[in-house]
Amino acid sequence: MDRYITYIFPCEYPCDKSPRTFDIVDYRLHRLIPYKMRQRITFFHKYEDGIEPTSLKLASRSLSGPDIIAEREDRITLALEELPTELQELLRGSQELYIRWQKPAAYEIVGPWSSRITPGLHVFYTPGNGGKPDGERLCRLFRTAFGPLDCTSSESFTKLPNDRFSHSTAYQYYHILNDLSHFSTYIEQYICTSGNTECEARAQRLLTANSVDLSYDTISHVVKVSALWPHGRQPLSIDSHPDHRAEVGIMMPDAPPHLEPHELGVTGLLTVLGEDSKPAPTLFSFPSRHKHTAGSSFSSSFLSPSGLHPTMQLRLSSSKPPMEGAYCSLHTYLTLPRTVFADRYQLGDELFLSSKNLTSLRYISHPVDLEAPDYAMKLWGSSVLLELQPPDTEDDQPWTAEIPLHLRYLSPARHGYKGIDVPWPVVFWACTAEDGTKFPNSPFDRVNLGYDGLFGPRTIFWHVDPKPAAGENLYHNIQVPVLDLGRANGISTGTATVVLMGFLFVVWKLVSVCLGTGYGSKKLGKGRKRKKW
């Protein structure tokens, strides 16, 4: 795709003779088509699931055809003026805002959307002019859009090391969120205009999406909202509003000539609704920092019994690096809600780490209070980056790594136990690309995922697929022993009784001494005189 950027356009873009850029020159579109919503819809299928171009019906501003078995991504680009007022004001005072949501379910990767994050809601934020975050406004907006969140002020956010890596945001927030039902309702009420059934249908479709992203930065000065649906049967029926620009792509993997190791190649059909008379064939490649490690997977579990110091065990199917001739290291990135934490001092012992098949602790967010109970904290939790230590053997066999964690004291609950959810981590190989390799903006890569900001700009991430057991999702549920509210009254009464009895015993002994009936009444030995007071 980078090659398309270097082309000299035969006419001012967009025009009939200009190449289809597939949203790669988004900044040019914003300059030439101000305040117009633009959408890009991409279907990515396997080779055997292709459809005949002749089966596609292209009308003036619509495209239809038979159902296709593919992944689907919708990306909508909006100007600030097209957003609700409260969101406009927040973004104008921000340098960067990235909201990422991931469904807690494993899925098959077919297209170029290989990057992974832990399930739940992630927020990465940098305030404007290097100031402090307006936590109250951020949290209020998040609660309005996503429902009840444990976010109250700037104290709910953790600070990220953006002084080390300029491509990292300044603050991070995380919350376990299973679905987007509240967000879907928010879009229908505050973004969709009255009677806009197409907008309402899009909002409802978010309930079945695998992931949803919202991205804003001051350089592009636009908001990009993208949603990805899992590989499966997708209806091929798309309509476009006359005032909007809609681009549709039906793609599959391919290898163009001279494909570089850090690039991905695709081929297929591209159509701009309202401009093209028929789908145009295309073949291109683009650099990608996120790739899929084929034939490799991992599972995650907690060793039993877990107790108050549970151990997370990662079982990996392979120890073979994905690239030959390049330096690669295997990492896991944990996003831990504040109910559970890792001890940086424990993870600083090299001998202890080696016994767990760990190499080193590469990063842990600050601060992490080792003593505070859950109900006394405002911070969302912590994130941890660990380098794993694959076995040094020629046989590529399954192996395990263990990560020691600790639970905080939780508030009382009935029956003496309280359930908490801990998301599965992400596991990936971090490989260094050759000197001189550049990674310009890719049309499919996701940025600001938390861990990518902890590596250099020439790092390629090879992601390992999570593989939960049948019927399980990507959350661990742990039952934590707490004070039983049903027995709290009895315990309080018993404690008060024991304290009172002890107090009465002490008073009785003191009174006994004063009355001379206790220890002071014993006869003195010979030659000793009673001391006068």
Side-chain angles (χ1 to χ4, degrees):
M1 290 298 286
D2 187 42
R3 297 183 178 89
Y4 279 91
I5 300 177
T6 59
Y7 283 168
I8 299 176
F9 294 100
C11 57
E12 187 176 17
Y13 189 89
C15 61
D16 294 336
K17 297 182 180 179
S18 61
R20 299 303 173 216
T21 61
F22 214 53
D23 203 35
I24 202 66
V25 287
D26 212 33
Y27 64 96
R28 301 182 188 180
L29 289 176
H30 177 62
R31 185 185 67 215
L32 297 170
I33 315 176
Y35 311 127
K36 277 191 176 182
M37 188 184 83
R38 301 179 300 280
Q39 58 178 327
R40 187 193 76 190
I41 301 173
T42 309
F43 298 93
F44 213 95
H45 61 84
K46 299 178 180 179
Y47 179 81
E48 60 270 20
D49 295 326
I51 61 175
E52 288 292 335
T54 55
S55 65
L56 300 176
K57 297 179 181 180
L58 182 61
S60 58
R61 301 201 65 87
S62 65
L63 177 68
S64 61
D67 290 354
I68 182 172
I69 300 177
E71 284 182 290
R72 172 172 173 164
E73 186 205 44
D74 287 12
R75 172 174 291 189
I76 298 176
T77 304
L78 301 165
L80 293 183
E81 290 75 10
E82 299 174 281
L83 300 173
T85 304
E86 185 178 10
L87 183 56
Q88 285 187 43
E89 295 176 355
L90 173 65
L91 295 179
R92 292 186 193 280
S94 306
Q95 182 176 333
E96 296 174 294
L97 177 63
Y98 301 95
I99 300 176
R100 313 280 185 239
W101 177 81
Q102 184 69 49
K103 189 176 184 178
Y107 58 93
E108 179 186 8
I109 292 178
V110 176
W113 304 285
S114 301
S115 61
R116 292 187 180 273
I117 57 175
T118 53
L121 179 68
H122 302 254
V123 178
F124 303 96
Y125 174 69
T126 301
N129 301 321
K132 293 184 178 180
D134 188 352
E136 292 185 2
R137 175 187 285 186
L138 282 169
C139 293
R140 183 173 61 251
L141 178 62
F142 296 156
R143 292 195 300 268
T144 303
F146 296 101
L149 302 181
D150 191 8
C151 181
T152 56
S153 65
S154 57
E155 296 180 2
S156 301
F157 292 76
T158 53
K159 186 77 171 62
L160 294 177
N162 63 331
D163 52 344
R164 284 182 55 196
F165 301 105
S166 59
H167 52 280
S168 172
T169 56
Y171 296 92
Q172 178 183 5
Y173 173 80
Y174 171 79
H175 185 83
I176 290 178
L177 190 65
N178 291 323
D179 60 67
L180 294 179
S181 55
H182 201 284
F183 183 60
S184 176
T185 304
Y186 170 81
I187 293 177
E188 293 183 39
Q189 294 180 353
Y190 295 97
I191 297 180
C192 296
T193 57
S194 179
N196 191 339
T197 56
E198 180 185 354
C199 179
E200 294 173 356
R202 282 178 174 269
Q204 286 296 319
R205 290 193 72 246
L206 293 179
L207 299 177
T208 59
N210 262 349
S211 63
V212 174
D213 295 347
L214 184 146
S215 304
Y216 169 81
D217 62 79
T218 53
I219 298 177
S220 65
H221 209 65
V222 295
V223 175
K224 294 182 179 181
V225 182
S226 58
L228 179 66
W229 284 268
H231 183 257
R233 185 172 296 277
Q234 309 285 353
L236 189 54
S237 178
I238 301 166
D239 296 309
S240 175
H241 192 276
D243 294 333
H244 300 163
R245 186 179 192 275
E247 192 168 13
V248 182
I250 302 175
M251 305 288 185
M252 66 178 180
D254 204 343
H258 312 295
L259 186 70
E260 300 291 337
H262 64 282
E263 293 181 327
L264 293 177
V266 299
T267 186
L269 302 172
L270 290 179
T271 306
V272 179
L273 302 184
E275 297 181 14
D276 294 340
S277 59
K278 62 179 181 179
T282 185
L283 174 67
F284 59 86
S285 62
F286 55 91
S288 178
R289 293 188 68 194
H290 298 273
K291 295 192 174 185
H292 174 237
T293 306
S296 182
S297 63
F298 80 95
S299 63
S300 175
S301 61
F302 278 97
L303 298 182
S304 183
S306 58
L308 291 176
H309 304 278
T311 297
M312 178 182 287
Q313 184 184 74
L314 302 180
R315 181 175 295 274
L316 296 100
S317 64
S318 173
S319 60
K320 183 180 179 181
M323 294 180 65
E324 296 182 0
Y327 175 76
C328 295
S329 55
L330 186 61
H331 295 79
T332 182
Y333 183 76
L334 293 86
T335 306
L336 302 174
R338 65 166 177 246
T339 51
V340 62
F341 65 94
D343 186 348
R344 62 179 305 170
Y345 302 102
Q346 183 183 27
L347 296 176
D349 187 336
E350 294 184 1
L351 186 61
F352 174 78
L353 291 177
S354 181
S355 67
K356 304 293 184 180
N357 281 338
L358 304 176
T359 299
S360 63
L361 173 65
R362 295 301 184 189
Y363 169 77
I364 186 170
S365 58
H366 297 285
V368 178
D369 194 321
L370 304 183
E371 302 295 337
D374 165 70
Y375 47 82
M377 297 181 63
K378 294 183 178 180
L379 203 67
W380 68 263
S382 59
S383 52
V384 180
L385 178 67
L386 284 163
E387 183 178 347
L388 306 183
Q389 189 179 65
D392 188 14
T393 60
E394 295 183 358
D395 297 333
D396 188 17
Q397 298 292 334
W399 59 286
T400 61
E402 296 179 359
I403 304 170
L405 300 173
H406 309 274
L407 297 175
R408 297 189 184 277
Y409 293 114
L410 307 181
S411 57
R414 293 195 176 277
H415 309 298
Y417 285 91
K418 201 168 189 177
I420 64 170
D421 289 328
V422 180
W424 279 42
V426 292
V427 177
F428 56 86
W429 290 89
C431 301
T432 304
E434 297 179 356
D435 292 337
T437 302
K438 295 182 179 180
F439 292 93
N441 291 334
S442 165
F444 301 110
D445 269 357
R446 303 161 83 187
V447 297
N448 289 99
L449 306 175
Y451 55 85
D452 56 342
L454 305 175
F455 294 86
R458 291 193 299 110
T459 303
I460 302 177
F461 301 97
W462 291 82
H463 294 269
V464 181
D465 289 340
K467 191 176 181 180
E472 295 185 358
N473 61 16
L474 298 183
Y475 284 132
H476 294 296
N477 184 267
I478 302 178
Q479 295 297 313
V480 183
V482 297
L483 175 62
D484 188 349
L485 285 176
R487 301 179 180 179
N489 292 334
I491 294 175
S492 299
T493 303
T495 302
T497 301
V498 171
V499 171
L500 179 61
M501 292 177 62
F503 174 74
L504 293 177
F505 176 77
V506 172
V507 171
W508 174 70
K509 297 301 292 184
L510 291 175
V511 171
S512 298
V513 172
C514 293
L515 296 178
T517 59
Y519 173 77
S521 65
K522 292 182 179 180
K523 295 182 178 181
L524 298 174
K526 292 182 178 182
R528 298 184 63 185
K529 296 181 179 181
R530 185 180 296 276
K531 195 173 183 179
K532 294 182 179 181
W533 295 89

